[in-house]
Amino acid sequence: MSMRSVLTPAALRDRGQVTIEFLGMTPTIIVTLIALWQVVLVGYTFILAGNAADEAVRQATAAEPGARQAACEAAGLKHLSEAWRSGADVTCGGSGYVTADVNLQVPILFPGTLSFPFTVHGHAGAVEEAD
């Protein structure tokens, strides 16, 4: 006599329980994964803003004061993908001690589509290079 032929009515009722429990947990698992992905995007935006500010101030300190803003903006936007570049704001200022400020919008789930109504700020400063 095999084990299959000895299933009790209670065992037959419980056979689909794991499937039902998994289906019940699926929305919770998906929402958790979406929340984690959004946290990754926010963190990545902070990294991009800081790097763009560093690149911008590096180029701004080497540029002539009249061409400083153009060099700053070009360097700040150079390494940003189109998803972050479209809403980016890069400004440089100062004399002697040059600063760069970069503001990036945080995308919602997919970079290049919608963005949150707040921005991530990156700031960097460096001493102007001597001739």
Side-chain angles (χ1 to χ4, degrees):
M1 201 155 141
S2 71
M3 281 301 279
R4 277 189 179 208
S5 61
V6 213
L7 288 176
T8 64
L12 289 173
R13 280 194 319 262
D14 291 342
R15 287 179 77 181
Q17 187 66 31
V18 172
T19 304
I20 297 300
E21 287 178 3
F22 179 73
L23 288 175
M25 288 300 296
T26 300
T28 305
I29 293 168
I30 291 172
V31 168
T32 302
L33 290 175
I34 289 172
L36 288 173
W37 175 246
Q38 190 60 54
V39 169
V40 167
L41 282 177
V42 171
Y44 187 58
T45 304
F46 271 100
I47 290 170
L48 287 176
N51 183 60
D54 288 340
E55 293 288 333
V57 79
R58 185 177 299 119
Q59 288 299 321
T61 57
E64 294 295 323
R68 182 168 288 159
Q69 181 59 35
C72 170
E73 190 167 346
L77 297 175
K78 182 179 179 182
H79 297 293
L80 294 176
S81 69
E82 186 56 39
W84 279 273
R85 187 181 305 140
S86 62
D89 177 38
V90 181
T91 57
C92 284
S95 180
Y97 183 74
V98 180
T99 60
D101 293 297
V102 177
N103 293 312
L104 299 178
Q105 295 179 341
V106 178
I108 299 175
L109 293 181
F110 301 105
T113 56
L114 298 173
S115 296
F116 282 112
F118 67 89
T119 58
V120 168
H121 182 75
H123 179 80
V127 177
E128 194 171 351
E129 294 180 9
D131 289 333

